[in-house]
Each structure stands twice: as C-alpha cells, then as structure tokens.
Amino acid sequence: STTYKGANPGFHVLALSRQPNSNKLDAPDLVWDKTYTNGADTFNALVSIRNTDPDALLIVNGVGNYGFGLADKVGNINGVPVGVGWYLGTFGAYSDLAGISGAIPFTFIGVGGANAQTALQRGYGTRDVQGYLAPDSNVNYAFIQTDFVRYDIKLNGDITVGQNTYTVADSYRCNRNIPGCALDCNGQNAFHAVIVDREDPNTVYMNSSYCTTGSDNEILRIMGDINTVTANLTNESRLVLIGSNGKPIPANRNFGLNGDPRIYPLAQMIAKLGGYWETMVYLSPNDTYSLVGAPAPPPGTKGARNRARESSSVYPEIRQNVRPSGELHGVLARGRGNWYSPLNADPSGNANLGFYEALATASAPFPTPNATAFQYISQKLCGSGCNIRNLYATQSVAFTNYQIQLQALPDSAGRSCDTAGSNADANFCAVRAQLLTEFVYVTDVYAFYTNLQSVWQGTGTVNILALLSAYNDINGQLNPPQAAPSQSLTSPLVNFFLALGSFIPEVGPLFGLADVAFNFGTSLTTDPQGNKSIDLTSTIANLQTQAMSQFTNQATTTGTFFDLVYQDWGKLSKLGQALSSQQDQKSPWYWGPTYTGRMLNAMTTGIRQAAYQNIMSAAYAIGSYVPNSAYSNGWGWGLYPLDAQPYAYRVIVNRQSAQTPLSSPFFTPNYVPYTYPGDPAWSPAPVPTSTLLSDGAWLGISAINTPWNGTSDSFQYTPPSEDIRSLLFRPIWDHDGLGVYRPAFFNSWPFPRVQCNPSYGNQSNGGTWVGGCNWSAAAPAPEHLEPRRLPLTSVTVRTVQTSREQPRQPQVDVILTVHNNGTTTAQSVTINSLQLRTLNGVGQATVVNPALPITLSNLRPGDTASVPVRLNVPTGVMRLSLTQEGTINSGSTAAPAVFRFSEAQALFLQ
C-alpha cells in the first residue's frame, strides 16, 4: 500500500527487507529509499545496502538523463575500478550491465547475494513493470508476476496472442502485382508468421503468409522478412510465432545428404529462434510445424533455450496411431528483460489453461455497496471486530456453514431479503447477495486447491515422491560418477508436464490446471539467498534428495497463489465463475475421483525422462564429427554403410564391448544414423543408434571416459547400451521408450558438444589417422559453474602422428589439435612458438611448416581446431617433445582479455 516517490531525471534506489514483518503485512520494512544523479553516490549507496542488509530486495528505476552510465568506473573493489552495473552483479544482475554506457532507461529487481543472471533487469524500455512480493519456501519475500498471456497456433494457420487472433486471410500475402512475387499466394500450404513485441504482445510488427509449396522464392521471402523485423535475428525484444496452414514443404523436396538445400537455411534460422534445425530439416511434404521463439540472448546467458517451444507432426507418436498434429498451445510468462517467453507447451490443445487466465486477470477491489451493512453481517457471522473476507484464505473455515447462516440472516430490523414485500434494507440485501456469491466462489476455490494438493500427496503409495524411485533404477543402470554435477531433476519434468496431457486425453485438461502449480511452485521454491532451487546445480549423489525437497517445498508454496486469488476480487470472480461447472463431467474443470491417480501414473514417463536426461549427462558426452575426404577416390560424405568410408570419419567401437553387437556393428540395419520413425530412407526401421544428423554434422554420444585417440583396432566410441538406446531413440509407444531422441533432450547436459577430429588419409604414402573425440575435455557450460565463479578461459593441445610409412621417413606429419575446454569463446588462439626436444634417440627435429605464428579464430567452448604440421625428424629420434606457447584472446576488440598458455606433449614416432 506504500508508494516510494522517485524523480525524473533520477536513479531511484529502493531496498526492502525480504523478511516479513508480522505487524506490517502490506509493505516490507524499508532499508533504503533515495534517488541519485551521481554515479559515485549511487555506487556507495549499493555498497551500504549490502552492509546494512546483505540479502535485501533491491528495486531500481532509472528515468531520464540521471547523469552517469552503468559502465562508468565510479567505485573501487579490492583496488579495481568498477561501475554501478558491475556492482549490481552482487544482486543477481547479468554481466552485460557492466558494459552499458550512458544513462539508459533502466529497471532492476534483484536480491543481495543472489546468483548471477537471476534478477529481472530491463534496459532501454519505458513500460511499467508490475508484480507481487510473495513469501517463498523460506518465508522470505520474492518477486513474482502473474500477467500471463495465452498463445495458440492452430492447424488452419491462425495464431492467437492474448486477445488478438491473426488469421491467414488477414495476413499480408504475395501477388503478381508486387515486384518479386512469382505467384498469387492464397495462404494455403503455407507458413504463417507473426512477430510481436515481447514486452507488449499487443504490438504487432509483422503478420504475413508464405506459399512455400508454390514458389522457392517464398522460402527466401519468409527468411528475409523475419531477418528484417528481428534485425538479422539479433533483436531479443521480438517474439516470433510461426504456424503452418496445410502442408508447407514443397512436394519436390529433395532431402539429399544434409536436407533440402532450400529448407536448410530456413532450418538454421529456426535454430537461431530457439527451435531445432533437426525438426525443420526433416519436415516432409506431409508434415506440419509450429514455433514460438525469439532471437538468442548473448552467449552464456543462463536458460537461453527457455525462449522457445515448437511442435511438429514429424515428432514421435504420442501413443499408438496418434502423432502430434503440429499445433501448439500454452502460456507466455515474463522473464529476462521483462520479456515474454513461452512458459510451457501443449501440442494437443487438451490442457485447460483457464487457471493461468484467472491469475492474469487485472486486480480489482472487492465491491462493498454499504460499509455499515458489511460490518453488521461480519459481526453476525464471525464476531465483534471481525472482517469476514479476512477469513477467505483460512482454509480451515467451512464457508458452506457461513453460507447457510447468511442465507437465513435477516436485516437489523428482522426482515428477510427473500420475503416479498418485507421491505428489507436494500443496502443489507445488496451486501448479502454479494457475500453469498463470494462464499460460493471461496468454497469452490478451496475444493480446487485440495485437488491440486493431491497431485503431490496422491493416495496410498502413489505420489510424486514414490514415483522418484525410478531414479534409483536408472542411476544403477547407468552407474555415473556420483560426484558429477547435474541440474535439477525437477526442471525437465516441469517443462514436459503440460505435454503429458496428450497421453491421457480424458484427464488432459487437468494437466493445464496442475501446470500452474508446478510452475508457480518452482518460482517460489528457493534457497536462503533467494535463488530458485530448480536452477541450482546438484550432484548425481544428491539428485534424488534435491528433487524430493523441491517437490515438498512446491506443495508448501501452492497456497501462496491461492492467497493472491482470495484477496483480489478480479481473480476470485474470474476463477469462481470458471469453477461453477467443475461438477459437470464434461467440464474441463471436472476432477473425478480417479483422475489424480491417472495423472500420477502418466508422470512416471516424465520422471524417467528427467532421470535419463540428467544422469546420462554425467556419464556420456556429445561429439559432432564431420567427414574430411578431399580425395579423388570418391569416398566421402553420405556413403552407406558407414564403414565404407575409410577416408572419411571412422566411428570405431570396442569390438569386445558388450554394449555393441559383435556381428557387423557398422552395417545396415545394425548401425545407421537415426532420424525419425518412418523415415523412408530406412525401411524397415533400423535398430536405434546413438548417432543423430545435426546441422552440418553427425552427433555421437559416447562415455566420457572413452579414449580419444587410437588405432583402428582400439575404440574411440562407447555408445550407451542397446537397452538404453531403445529407451532414448524409440517413440514412446514402442517398447515403453521415452521418445526423446530429439536434440531437446540434450540441452541441459553440463557438457557442450565436443568437436571431433576428422580422420586423415593419403594413399600416396599409405598413411592414415583415425580421428576421435576428446570426450572428457569438454568444460561445463557457464550456467553450471559454481556461483560467483568467473568464466573459464582455457585451451588444451594434443598431438598425433598422421604419417606412418614403413620404414619411417625423415619428414613426419602431425596434427596439433587445439581444444577450447573453457566456458568462453576464444576470439583468437595464437601459437607463437613450437619448441622440439629429443627425449629418446639421436638428432634434433625442426619445423618445416607452417610458419609461425599460427592463429585460429572464433573457437567456441567445446570446439576443436586442427593444425597440420610437418616436421623434419632424423630417423634416429624415437621420442619427441613438442611444446606450444601462445596467447588466447577471449574478449572483444574494444576490451580484449588476453591469457597466455603453454602446452607440451610427448610423441612416440612410428
């Protein structure tokens, strides 16, 4: 109820205590409230706030030209000059604040001591930010927002965002009168694209349809238009929604080796919007597609994938003979930058999203026609000084009894409102009618709350905590290192929960209602510092315990958003009216006596998927490999079976391993790249493998402890066992598989993709080297680092001989493999010196080529670059030491960050 006044211009700094005061429930205790126009004063204020209340809730509102930039060096920490933007990092800010110059419009809400990238921060925007302070699982105040926005993408191409529906008929379409248009587009068998503002989805920037089946130019046009409106896919403030009307892929589709060359670049664009290249490139002329996404945030941003959801008929069957239609439904919620992103996704349209809409209803005060009459009724029902509405959130109170009492209550003169001609007091009758309506709503809401609680508590032995026993089975099956890091077991389940309604259509609507509890509960389940516990890194050993704690706390915090409903007439009336039909078995609000158990049984699939996703990440790594066969013999990319490519990349497996069949492990159908069920290129369907076709490469999954290098008789690829692969790569209806072969399954793995070394061969000298993946060298993704740990800049260098002529010649070819095992992109890696020293034998080796320095550019985390080096090595040298020294530049041109490295290897000459 308190307003803290700021000023224009001014940098308004408000700090509140996170610990509730029982005597002051409507406004937390004030820690700091002052407006600044000087950077040094602002910096000192922030430091003082941390000293006064280390975990204070900080709210900042920067308006107009307040006189300093967030990047200005206005303070000093341990002798290092820093700015306001840098220090806001101690309240959970994103790292980009430290580089913003100038007095930009700026809004910030964070917590002292919180992890980086956990605050709500919005720069350059001028719209209001609204929300609530609600108690979290530690009974401290947390900032939440309930202004959810519904989205729907239908099979007829209609796209709905909030209250606005964009139809194909109303969209802009090509016709021959427009330069560059080769056809009259009627919007059929087309893509429909709508782009709106992510902070205000009512603002639309584009509404166009593209008849991609009729003209290749239409494929170019949709890419060009999306690029234009999103500033070449760099403007995060744009939300892109794409739906198909009919079948948008041309009938003359030619998949080739990497997909249809016309669709390939569109698939790359989809990937940059948060969808999946693999989904788009595999669309056939009979498939449909939908996406809600946005351009990518800066590299390293935590939870970047949360900006998008997609659906397609190319996805695995949900259940026997039922495949996703390609439509998409769900809710947008605010997050990074106060921008909307899809909170969830329902590919079937079964889910009832009405509870989200009720919570998003604008706040409204309770109507009180007459205060005297209201006080009279309250006194009669609950005693002197009582306000009956204060009891709504007291769930032990039976409002059905109050309803009966109020129904029979006469006015102060003993006259009944229900008796004709009684001349009962009109003010009393109006208040009585209003309260009778409210009592019905409160009773129905409480019954609804009880049903939602049953999802956690279940009945008998069937509840969420009991279902977590699936974790133990999978943990024993995969046997990962128990100390390995892993993300929350609950996180992938929350993301998958809404889609579970597709498996049981009869109770599908309830998954939408329970999804609110899952998402809202996770937002209020925090650690003592205010970080969402679902985002915290755990270990394999603690994963199940963490999940149990998470679910228990979620159940506890469920009552919080019902408190929001009970104290707000806008929300209570919206939800109460909706619940009036909950006893009707045909109502989407109906919750039958067996429905909780059926929902819990469906959750077993989700928990198993979450367990595989998290546990596999501790035992397996992902490597991308691209064949290298620039030779005239014709061997090369796309030749099947895979072992017929001796001068391309060789996938070598341990032939003695029980994980791989000993009989012809490479030959069709035992070992082929798995694409999707029913792929016409593979008939009958092959045994699922652990190789996927990705954007320009194959992806292999191997044990992290697999040797990275060896001869053709050793192994460099240890895939999951066949029984695990059957769960990962078969559709869900087949052998109880999880149907999670899509790349989405691997997004939260703590190790990024490792780029494998290609094989090298040269028939003229008989030499060959089988490439491999340095599976164990991948560094954790930045969001998996310990709190406050700085990004890691690091490279490793390995050496292998590629020339193996017998007898050995004086000139020796080796490959230097430079691997970025850090967490930041190396803009450049420069090898300034290459020193050779004889370790065994007689003679001194020298470098023939290349000339120094050697510079490699844009080496991303997990990437590998290969440098061929030719040495002159006397035949008497048996063992050689190679030492490389150089620098890594991981910064920008304006702010370079240069690090030195020195790596040495021993080479046994063959």
Side-chain angles (χ1 to χ4, degrees):
S1 62
T2 304
T3 298
Y4 302 92
K5 293 288 187 180
N8 184 1
F11 198 84
H12 188 188
V13 177
L14 175 70
L16 304 171
S17 173
R18 293 177 60 226
Q19 290 72 45
N21 184 335
S22 59
N23 298 318
K24 192 179 179 184
L25 294 178
D26 64 342
D29 290 338
L30 180 65
V31 176
W32 203 274
D33 177 26
K34 193 170 182 180
T35 299
Y36 300 91
T37 55
N38 177 276
D41 292 343
T42 305
F43 181 87
N44 292 332
L46 295 176
V47 173
S48 297
I49 290 170
R50 290 299 311 278
N51 291 333
T52 303
D53 191 335
D55 69 340
L57 180 76
L58 181 71
I59 303 177
V60 172
N61 191 9
V63 181
N65 184 11
Y66 42 81
F68 62 91
L70 297 175
D72 296 350
K73 302 299 188 291
V74 293
N76 190 291
I77 298 294
N78 296 327
V80 178
V82 294
V84 170
W86 183 93
Y87 198 79
L88 285 174
T90 67
F91 290 89
Y94 288 74
S95 59
D96 59 337
L97 286 190
I100 295 178
S101 59
I104 65 168
F106 179 63
T107 303
F108 180 90
I109 302 174
V111 173
N115 291 342
Q117 305 188 53
T118 57
L120 185 149
Q121 64 179 54
R122 182 201 60 185
Y124 304 99
T126 57
R127 295 185 177 95
D128 292 346
V129 175
Q130 299 178 345
Y132 295 90
L133 301 183
D136 60 18
S137 57
N138 288 288
V139 200
N140 294 320
Y141 282 121
F143 177 72
I144 60 173
Q145 294 174 288
T146 63
D147 44 353
F148 304 107
V149 172
R150 174 83 177 263
Y151 71 89
D152 297 276
I153 305 177
K154 298 181 178 179
L155 289 180
N156 64 356
D158 286 358
I159 296 177
T160 299
V161 185
Q163 301 300 313
N164 302 313
T165 297
Y166 305 94
T167 65
V168 171
D170 293 333
S171 65
Y172 175 85
R173 302 185 301 279
C174 236
N175 65 72
R176 289 187 176 90
N177 295 324
I178 300 174
C181 288
L183 81 170
D184 293 325
C185 177
N186 59 7
Q188 304 301 309
N189 296 320
F191 284 114
H192 181 201
V194 171
I195 301 180
V196 299
D197 189 276
R198 283 182 74 184
E199 195 167 4
D200 178 15
N202 290 316
T203 301
V204 59
Y205 299 110
M206 191 180 92
N207 175 22
S208 299
S209 293
Y210 306 87
C211 293
T212 47
T213 60
S215 169
D216 294 348
N217 189 60
E218 289 287 89
I219 301 174
L220 297 175
R221 200 167 66 86
I222 185 174
M223 291 189 292
D225 288 354
I226 292 176
N227 266 326
T228 298
V229 179
T230 62
N232 292 319
L233 302 176
T234 62
N235 189 344
E236 280 190 83
S237 69
R238 302 295 185 257
L239 188 71
V240 180
L241 299 98
I242 298 175
S244 54
N245 181 25
K247 310 297 175 60
I249 300 301
N252 62 348
R253 169 195 188 239
N254 179 18
F255 188 87
L257 300 176
N258 288 314
D260 189 303
R262 298 166 296 178
I263 304 299
Y264 190 104
L266 178 60
Q268 292 178 314
M269 171 176 283
I270 291 297
K272 292 177 181 179
L273 291 171
Y276 295 103
W277 178 92
E278 294 82 355
T279 305
M280 176 59 66
V281 85
Y282 278 130
L283 292 181
S284 76
N286 293 316
D287 286 314
T288 54
Y289 180 79
S290 57
L291 166 82
V292 52
T301 300
K302 187 174 183 179
R305 274 290 184 183
N306 292 334
R307 72 187 190 277
R309 296 289 189 276
E310 72 173 14
S311 181
S312 173
S313 59
V314 80
Y315 271 36
E317 293 187 10
I318 298 171
R319 53 192 185 280
Q320 195 161 9
N321 299 321
V322 177
R323 185 179 294 279
S325 65
E327 60 186 311
L328 196 61
H329 311 269
V331 171
L332 305 174
R334 293 199 188 267
R336 167 178 158 79
N338 207 42
W339 292 321
Y340 280 106
S341 294
L343 180 66
N344 48 31
D346 169 26
S348 65
N350 287 332
N352 178 4
L353 301 174
F355 194 14
Y356 280 111
E357 295 172 343
L359 289 174
T361 302
S363 296
F366 282 89
T368 304
N370 182 273
T372 301
F374 179 82
Q375 293 169 1
Y376 169 76
I377 292 174
S378 290
Q379 180 178 353
K380 289 294 183 180
L381 295 180
C382 57
S384 177
C386 171
N387 182 328
I388 191 66
R389 285 171 172 159
N390 287 346
L391 300 180
Y392 287 173
T394 308
Q395 294 157 354
S396 60
V397 175
F399 271 87
T400 51
N401 294 333
Y402 282 138
Q403 185 179 359
I404 294 172
Q405 294 177 46
L406 183 56
Q407 193 74 50
L409 184 68
D411 66 11
S412 58
R415 297 167 296 191
S416 172
C417 298
D418 297 330
T419 302
S422 67
N423 293 321
D425 180 55
N427 289 326
F428 167 82
C429 292
V431 174
R432 173 179 175 270
Q434 172 65 28
L435 288 176
L436 285 173
T437 299
E438 291 177 21
F439 291 175
V440 172
Y441 289 168
V442 170
T443 301
D444 287 346
V445 169
Y446 180 62
F448 176 49
Y449 168 78
T450 302
N451 285 329
L452 279 181
Q453 283 292 90
S454 70
V455 175
W456 279 279
Q457 297 167 352
T459 56
T461 59
V462 182
N463 55 56
I464 290 179
L465 301 187
L467 296 178
L468 284 172
S469 62
Y471 168 84
N472 290 327
D473 298 336
I474 297 164
N475 188 24
Q477 191 177 26
L478 296 177
N479 194 29
Q482 294 299 293
S486 181
Q487 286 295 92
S488 165
L489 185 64
T490 319
S491 180
L493 177 60
V494 170
N495 291 334
F496 185 59
F497 183 79
L498 193 66
L500 291 175
S502 304
F503 299 95
I504 310 179
E506 297 82 1
V507 299
L510 298 189
F511 281 90
L513 302 177
D515 189 64
V516 182
F518 268 77
N519 280 296
F520 220 106
T522 57
S523 68
L524 289 174
T525 300
T526 66
D527 69 353
Q529 285 71 44
N531 302 298
K532 293 180 183 178
S533 60
I534 199 171
D535 295 331
L536 301 179
T537 299
S538 181
T539 63
I540 294 296
N542 295 326
L543 204 55
Q544 185 182 31
T545 301
Q546 183 202 55
M548 288 181 174
S549 175
Q550 177 80 31
F551 280 126
T552 301
N553 287 330
Q554 281 183 232
T556 302
T557 58
T558 301
T560 301
F561 52 90
F562 279 95
D563 289 344
L564 293 177
V565 172
Y566 288 131
Q567 69 181 10
D568 188 314
W569 173 242
K571 293 175 173 53
L572 179 62
S573 59
K574 177 76 172 181
L575 183 57
Q577 292 171 29
L579 289 172
S580 63
S581 66
Q582 66 179 325
Q583 300 305 316
D584 182 357
Q585 294 189 21
K586 296 182 179 179
S587 167
W589 296 88
Y590 176 73
W591 202 303
T594 65
Y595 284 10
T596 297
R598 299 175 71 180
M599 292 175 68
L600 286 169
N601 288 333
M603 285 180 60
T604 304
T605 296
I607 289 177
R608 283 171 61 84
Q609 173 175 327
Y612 269 110
Q613 178 171 318
N614 287 24
I615 300 174
M616 280 195 70
S617 68
Y620 292 89
I622 303 173
S624 62
Y625 51 94
V626 181
N628 183 339
S629 54
Y631 302 101
S632 59
N633 55 21
W635 302 106
W637 179 245
L639 192 63
Y640 299 104
L642 291 181
D643 73 333
Q645 304 182 78
Y647 297 105
Y649 187 87
R650 288 186 179 179
V651 178
I652 307 297
V653 298
N654 180 5
R655 292 184 174 85
Q656 304 304 315
S657 170
Q659 295 176 313
T660 306
L662 295 179
S663 60
S664 304
F666 300 116
F667 285 89
T668 306
N670 298 83
Y671 191 90
V672 297
Y674 190 72
T675 57
Y676 57 91
D679 182 350
W682 306 106
S683 183
V687 174
T689 75
S690 39
T691 296
L692 300 169
L693 173 61
S694 185
D695 184 0
W698 296 103
L699 298 184
I701 305 167
S702 185
I704 289 177
N705 60 2
T706 302
W708 82 283
N709 180 40
T711 67
S712 59
D713 291 325
S714 65
F715 64 97
Q716 300 151 337
Y717 185 67
T718 309
S721 59
E722 285 194 274
D723 56 340
I724 296 174
R725 298 205 306 265
S726 68
L727 288 172
L728 291 175
F729 299 100
R730 279 184 177 161
I732 206 159
W733 52 266
D734 184 12
H735 303 287
D736 295 322
L738 297 177
V740 290
Y741 59 87
R742 290 267 158 210
F745 176 80
F746 306 109
N747 276 339
S748 65
W749 283 28
F751 298 101
R753 294 176 184 174
V754 180
Q755 191 174 34
C756 306
N757 300 320
S759 61
Y760 292 83
N762 191 322
Q763 287 184 324
S764 64
N765 61 18
T768 184
W769 173 57
V770 178
C773 285
N774 188 10
W775 300 101
S776 62
E783 57 263 35
H784 291 267
L785 295 176
E786 291 299 318
R788 303 293 171 213
R789 180 176 167 186
L790 295 175
L792 174 66
T793 301
S794 176
V795 297
T796 58
V797 183
R798 294 181 184 268
T799 305
V800 67
Q801 180 184 352
T802 61
S803 57
R804 294 174 183 169
E805 297 179 73
Q806 294 298 329
R808 182 173 66 78
Q809 302 300 308
Q811 285 200 335
V812 174
D813 291 328
V814 299
I815 293 291
L816 298 182
T817 302
V818 182
H819 176 82
N820 183 353
N821 64 334
T823 59
T824 58
T825 296
Q827 304 299 332
S828 65
V829 177
T830 302
I831 300 175
N832 294 312
S833 73
L834 181 59
Q835 301 173 22
L836 308 177
R837 184 165 64 92
T838 300
L839 299 177
N840 188 0
V842 179
Q844 176 61 46
T846 58
V847 178
V848 178
N849 59 55
L852 296 175
I854 301 169
T855 300
L856 307 172
S857 301
N858 196 32
L859 203 62
R860 298 172 301 179
D863 280 1
T864 297
S866 298
V867 180
V869 175
R870 177 159 291 180
L871 307 176
N872 195 343
V873 185
T875 55
V877 176
M878 309 298 294
R879 186 156 60 100
L880 188 66
S881 168
L882 294 84
T883 301
Q884 308 86 27
E885 294 183 349
T887 58
I888 312 167
N889 182 353
S890 62
S892 63
T893 303
V898 180
F899 302 86
R900 296 193 61 81
F901 70 90
S902 178
E903 288 277 319
Q905 310 85 38
L907 184 66
F908 292 82
L909 298 167
Q910 300 178 7

